Amino acid sequence: MTEPAIIVENLVTQYGDRRILDGVSCTIPRGEITVILGRSGCGKSTLLRHLIGLARPHSGRIVILGQDLGGLDEEGLTALRRRMGVLFQGAALFGSMTVGDNVALPLREHTTLEESTIRIMTRMKLELVGLSACEDYFPQALSGGMRKRAGLARALAMDPEILFFDEPSAGLDPVTAAGLDDLILSLNRTFRMTIVAVTHELTSVERIAGHVVMVDRGTILFSGPYDQLLASQEERVRQFLERRPDLIEQDTEAYLSTLLGEA
Ligand SMILES: Nc1ncnc2c1ncn2[C@@H]1O[C@H](COP(=O)(O)OP(=O)(O)OP(=O)(O)O)[C@@H](O)[C@H]1O
Ligand SMILES: [Mg+2]
């Protein structure tokens, strides 16, 4: 078996005294699409920030592409981050730059390539996400779905070995969201790219997930192939998959029936 793209061992994170991730261990396989799943506020984005080396753990170990984050200085960390592409929640494009310049930015910052080469590479990435006609547009002239695609082109600029998404389809209509999911699938199939997507959209999970890491109350509730997640009998997993809300507390129910009784 090939070595995983990322290994997380006993990761603990806290903000002040509040513990957010409490001993998280999981692996992200190479060449697959891994979905990080869980309720709002469970710590998905926090875990993602650790997986890209943006946050230092309180304790625990993270190994990315064979390198232990704990043993890296700032320079080593920067070099490692160049091998990863990230599309944050909301795309985060620079409004004062054209779409083309946004995509070219990582190449201008991190390489010494000629301007003409950078132009060609930028156009290739825009072509890949179906935005070749929009190179000279400013981000405010794009729809939400187009912005995500532009952000994706920028994340792909440096030909990353791992691509990360935070909520790729949030805020998009179902058709546009499905289009973005298909783009993620084709990147994985065409380039065998390792992809990690954080989401809580079950429709999107159904479409793209190969491997699943499910976070719940600061720990890992499930980690494994998507088929196994579907077969899981764990109550918290079933509740999430079946979209069941938490039960109303007894007191609330009693209170409501008194109100109804009085009416
Ligand atoms: N910088 C911070 N300072 C303090 N608390 C934080 C910070 N960032 C996140 N938190 C807390 O950590 C918890 C997990 O947040 P996180 O953003 O990781 O959740 P999430 O699973 O991504 O949620 P969502 O699905 O809503 O995006 C939340 O309770 C949040 O309030
Ligand atoms: Mg989040």
Side-chain angles (χ1 to χ4, degrees):
M1 234 185 92
T2 51
E3 193 200 341
I6 303 178
I7 303 167
V8 178
E9 281 171 7
N10 235 339
L11 172 67
V12 174
T13 287
Q14 47 193 53
Y15 292 115
D17 289 340
R18 230 179 108 220
R19 202 159 264 214
I20 308 298
L21 299 176
D22 192 11
V24 161
S25 299
C26 60
T27 54
I28 308 284
R30 268 182 212 258
E32 280 193 51
I33 301 179
T34 296
V35 168
I36 298 177
L37 201 63
R39 295 170 175 210
S40 195
C42 72
K44 301 183 296 297
S45 296
T46 304
L47 178 59
L48 187 81
R49 277 198 292 278
H50 283 286
L51 298 184
I52 57 182
L54 264 187
R56 296 268 183 187
H58 181 74
S59 64
R61 199 166 87 102
I62 302 173
V63 181
I64 304 178
L65 296 168
Q67 297 193 55
D68 191 331
L69 283 194
L72 293 178
D73 55 12
E74 270 311 310
E75 206 176 316
L77 206 54
T78 309
L80 182 61
R81 278 205 213 106
R82 274 181 212 163
R83 298 167 67 191
M84 304 188 263
V86 188
L87 179 57
F88 288 106
Q89 236 160 330
L93 298 169
F94 291 103
S96 58
M97 287 182 197
T98 63
V99 168
D101 286 336
N102 264 287
V103 176
L105 192 68
L107 296 166
R108 294 202 174 114
E109 277 193 348
H110 302 304
T111 72
T112 52
L113 294 168
E114 299 270 341
E115 184 55 27
S116 55
T117 314
I118 290 182
R119 280 282 150 213
I120 293 168
M121 289 176 74
T122 301
R123 282 186 194 135
M124 277 168 59
K125 300 300 181 255
L126 285 172
E127 183 101 14
L128 202 62
V129 301
L131 280 185
S132 38
C134 303
E135 190 180 344
D136 297 326
Y137 286 27
F138 282 91
Q140 55 269 36
L142 304 182
S143 70
M146 289 159 94
R147 271 181 219 175
K148 295 238 168 158
R149 281 171 185 266
L152 177 56
R154 190 177 61 188
L156 289 170
M158 300 277 289
D159 293 318
E161 287 162 66
I162 315 179
L163 182 64
F164 295 88
F165 286 92
D166 201 348
E167 306 283 359
S169 47
L172 301 179
D173 69 83
V175 177
T176 309
L180 200 68
D181 287 340
D182 282 351
L183 194 56
I184 295 173
L185 275 174
S186 76
L187 284 171
N188 169 253
R189 290 189 183 146
T190 315
F191 306 108
R192 300 294 310 147
M193 194 181 279
T194 304
I195 296 176
V196 183
V198 169
T199 184
H200 48 223
E201 308 268 342
L202 286 174
T203 329
S204 181
V205 178
E206 263 166 44
R207 231 177 156 92
I208 64 172
H211 194 84
V212 176
V213 172
M214 188 165 176
V215 185
D216 188 50
R217 299 190 275 206
T219 57
I220 299 291
L221 188 57
F222 175 90
S223 175
Y226 179 56
D227 305 351
Q228 281 179 24
L229 177 83
L230 294 180
S232 167
Q233 290 308 311
E234 161 69 49
E235 176 53 23
R236 301 273 296 175
V237 173
R238 300 262 36 108
Q239 186 186 9
F240 191 89
L241 293 178
E242 290 161 17
R243 303 164 163 90
R244 280 190 271 122
D246 283 320
L247 290 173
I248 296 176
E249 298 204 359
Q250 293 290 322
D251 287 356
T252 322
E253 228 171 314
Y255 175 67
L256 283 174
S257 58
T258 350
L259 282 183
L260 290 171
E262 278 170 5

